[in-house]
Amino acid sequence: MREVWSTADVERLAAERSAPDVWDYIAGGSGEEVTLAANRAALDRVAVVPRALVDVSACDTGCELFGVPSALPLAVAPMAYQRLVHDGGERAAAAAAAAAGVPYVVSTLSSDPIEDVAAVGGTTWFQLYWLRDREVVVKLLRRAEEAGCAAVVLTVDVPVLGRRLRDLRNGFALPSWVKPVNTDGEVGERVPGDSAIARHTSAVFDPSLSWRDLEWIRAHTNLPLVVKGVLDARDAARAVDLGVRGVVVSNHGGRQLDGAVPSAVALPEVVAAVGGRCPVLLDSGVRSGVDVLRALALGAAAVLVGRPVLWGLAAGGERGVTAVLDVLRAEFETALRLAGCPDVASARHLAVAESPA
């Protein structure tokens, strides 16, 4: 890990150390992966206009997210089955996030229990999928509260799983030691030409999730409710009207609707529609500290980082995730200074232009 200078370096290490079908599961998107590529292209087109003659001898990268301090405007995105890439699993990734001083979002489909992940001592948010069994949902919410989670992040863009062609071609299934331990379930065995993960989510996820269910969730938890997977400004405004405390602009990293708008393109309209009533976060395609700066300049309060953390875990367990977060911190601090921003708040006042790249 001493040879790591960017998240791309970690990506190469992770690819070398992962089985081909596991790497396809990590790296792949849905359909022809148009949206997967578009997320990066959209961020690369955002050109930040730096300010000059600003004293940046001191630079504060910290912020507050849902009432809790964070060392960076960044949280680790929820990702399922992290023991698939390293025995340390979610606990190792959460420990690295805790050491870096940033929140970690533990998935409903975590391969380590909520309680074990929260016990590493950092700020933990719980990501909720809408399940057919409401008793399981209630139990998950209670467990998240009792474990000390600071927020509930409801994912709203997975009524069904996107058609992930790499997984279908590989007949992808989880090894026997990786399970959705929070729901006491089994994902199922390998079937040629099918995805065991898609079969499992079809059986347990409830595609009837609608606006009326937000009130039900709020009635069953005292934690701040954040909605993840919003791309339309009208949906963002309605969610805030119904009492959500945060919105994550996300297309699930290009893994759901192929052809969906890139998150960075949708972000400014969502920010305008929310009108400062709650934080708006960006997810999908973030690969560098410069991307974090771009997101802030577009109006985001913070970003969620997904695949790079998983690359770090695959490459070196907790040390690998630490290396990724260290790179992002160093890149972001340098980018802030070069943009003439002594703190995170000033980055939100930067102008942006569209780059031909």
Side-chain angles (χ1 to χ4, degrees):
M1 303 309 298
R2 287 193 296 267
E3 299 296 321
V4 168
W5 307 106
S6 70
T7 63
D9 293 334
V10 184
E11 182 181 15
R12 286 189 289 271
L13 287 171
E16 292 169 0
R17 299 177 185 184
S18 300
D21 63 338
V22 172
W23 183 249
D24 276 345
Y25 173 70
I26 295 170
S30 62
E32 298 303 319
E33 302 185 349
V34 172
T35 297
L36 177 66
N39 281 330
R40 275 304 326 151
L43 280 166
D44 286 339
R45 284 194 299 270
V46 177
V48 174
V49 182
R51 300 303 303 269
L53 299 172
V54 179
D55 181 358
V56 291
S57 55
C59 187
D60 184 1
T61 63
C63 66
E64 186 176 284
L65 297 173
F66 308 112
V68 180
S70 177
L72 295 166
L74 177 157
V76 175
M79 293 172 286
Y81 308 124
Q82 291 178 31
R83 291 190 68 229
L84 178 66
V85 302
H86 191 275
D87 288 344
E90 287 81 2
R91 283 175 289 187
V102 300
Y104 178 89
V105 191
V106 58
S107 173
T108 292
L109 298 179
S110 167
S111 50
D112 283 327
I114 299 168
E115 295 81 0
D116 291 358
V117 176
V120 304
T123 299
T124 305
W125 303 343
F126 172 64
Q127 177 270 333
L128 176 67
Y129 281 119
W130 191 237
L131 306 178
R132 296 179 188 272
D133 190 333
R134 298 294 189 272
E135 290 185 9
V136 173
V137 173
V138 171
K139 289 177 181 176
L140 288 170
L141 291 171
R142 289 174 181 167
R143 287 173 59 191
E145 289 185 353
E146 292 170 0
C149 293
V152 171
V153 181
L154 174 68
T155 295
V156 299
D157 60 356
V158 191
V160 296
L161 207 67
R163 280 179 54 82
R164 302 174 187 175
L165 301 186
R166 298 198 205 193
D167 292 349
L168 293 173
R169 290 171 179 138
N170 291 329
F172 187 69
L174 299 176
S176 60
W177 64 87
V178 180
K179 298 178 181 180
V181 295
N182 290 316
T183 57
D184 296 323
E186 296 284 345
V187 170
E189 298 180 353
R190 185 181 299 273
V191 175
D194 197 8
S195 163
I197 289 176
R199 292 198 310 273
H200 174 254
T201 56
S202 179
V204 301
F205 286 14
D206 188 347
S208 74
L209 176 65
S210 65
W211 293 106
R212 65 178 180 273
D213 298 311
L214 293 185
E215 185 59 37
W216 186 93
I217 294 170
R218 291 183 61 220
H220 284 84
T221 182
N222 294 316
L223 297 175
L225 178 61
V226 180
V227 172
K228 176 180 181 291
V230 174
L231 292 168
D232 192 301
R234 294 168 295 182
D235 291 337
R238 186 171 181 182
V240 178
D241 288 342
L242 292 174
V244 306
R245 298 279 295 280
V247 172
V248 182
V249 178
S250 170
N251 56 40
H252 217 93
R255 291 165 74 81
Q256 283 301 103
L257 175 62
D258 195 31
V261 60
S263 296
V265 173
L267 177 62
E269 287 190 13
V270 171
V271 170
V274 168
R277 291 181 290 165
C278 76
V280 176
L281 285 70
L282 175 77
D283 169 287
S284 304
V286 176
R287 299 290 182 266
S288 71
V290 172
D291 288 340
V292 180
L293 181 70
R294 287 165 163 157
L296 297 180
L298 290 171
V303 302
L304 298 184
V305 177
R307 282 185 179 91
V309 170
L310 209 57
W311 300 339
L313 189 64
E318 182 179 339
R319 288 177 59 244
V321 178
T322 295
V324 166
L325 296 175
D326 283 347
V327 163
L328 293 173
R329 177 197 53 75
E331 290 176 339
F332 177 61
E333 183 175 344
T334 299
L336 267 185
R337 284 193 156 113
L338 293 177
C341 298
D343 53 31
V344 168
S346 58
R348 299 194 184 102
H349 298 288
L350 291 169
V352 296
E354 184 171 350
S355 166

